[in-house]
């Protein structure tokens, strides 16, 4: 969703940057700040807790995992994840949600042609974001961060969420196309043996998307030529 359908990846990156820069400053050890490369490598496309854990591991930082109900003030992995969520929602309320017109046009064309479209996102705020963008009814199925917890699905780069989406629309992975801007999401599509994995290069990292498993890389989904009909 973020970075493919809605232009909220930048909102997430700002929230992650505020979170980790503040956390690193609190440690008082002169550590290098959180960067855009850190965002793409360690947190983009992953569930919040996985993102916190992945980034901290990259810096060899260990803190208690905590509990899912930990408040944003808790000095735990779950507490940092909750703090990031609060920062994201603040950014969302302050700046609103923009969409990528090329993506919306493609999805509407697919729906008109009776091609099933599912949304897969690690976000637990998917409904709120889609409502704000006016896109709630655009998809045949949705698998989000709430489903990840409820069904105990592994987050990206594991393929579980994409495989669940394919199951919900009634097709095998080999008959489905994955559209992803996150490295973890592209890798999930590759691991799940999906028919085609399209990398959407919003962050000028096309080579990394290809290395992660993208069969095709475009800068916007309006660049795709879609033909309907029998093979």
């Amino acid at each position: 969703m973020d970075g493919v359908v809605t232009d909220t990846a930048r909102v997430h990156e700002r929230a992650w940057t505020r979170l980790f820069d503040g956390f690193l400053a609190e440690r008082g050890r002169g550590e290098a700040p959180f960067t855009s490369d850190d965002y793409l490598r360690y947190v983009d496309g992953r569930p919040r807790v996985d993102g916190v854990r992945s980034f901290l591991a990259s810096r060899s930082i260990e803190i208690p995992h905590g509990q899912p109900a930990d408040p944003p003030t808790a000095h735990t992995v779950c507490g940092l994840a909750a703090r990031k969520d609060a920062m994201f929602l603040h950014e969302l309320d302050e700046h609103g949600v923009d969409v990528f017109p090329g993506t919306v046009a493609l999805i509407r064309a697919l729906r008109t042609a009776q091609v099933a479209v599912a949304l897969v996102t690690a976000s637990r705020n998917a409904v709120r974001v889609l409502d704000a963008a006016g896109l709630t009814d655009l998809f045949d199925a949705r698998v989000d961060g709430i489903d990840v917890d409820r069904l105990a699905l592994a987050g990206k780069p594991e393929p579980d969420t994409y495989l669940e989406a394919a199951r919900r629309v009634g097709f095998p992975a080999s008959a489905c196309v994955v559209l992803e801007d996150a490295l973890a999401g592209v890798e999930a599509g590759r691991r799940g043996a999906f028919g085609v994995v399209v990398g959407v290069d919003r962050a000028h990292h096309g080579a990394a998307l290809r290395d992660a498993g993208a069969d095709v890389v475009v800068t916007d989904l309006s660049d795709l030529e879609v033909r309907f009909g029998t093979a």
Side-chain angles (χ1 to χ4, degrees), residues 15 18 48 72 80-93 125:
R18 285 182 58 199
R48 282 195 301 273
L80 289 179
R83 194 183 310 176
K84 185 269 173 180
D85 188 43
M87 290 175 173
F88 171 75
L89 293 176
H90 174 77
E91 292 276 351
L92 192 67
D93 290 341
N125 298 308

Side-chain angles (χ1 to χ4, degrees), residues 198-224:
V198 178
V200 185
D201 184 12
R202 308 283 193 200
H204 309 291
H205 63 312
L209 289 169
R210 290 186 182 89
D211 289 344
D215 300 298
V216 179
V217 174
V218 297
T219 56
D220 187 82
L221 291 180
S222 61
D223 297 335
L224 288 179

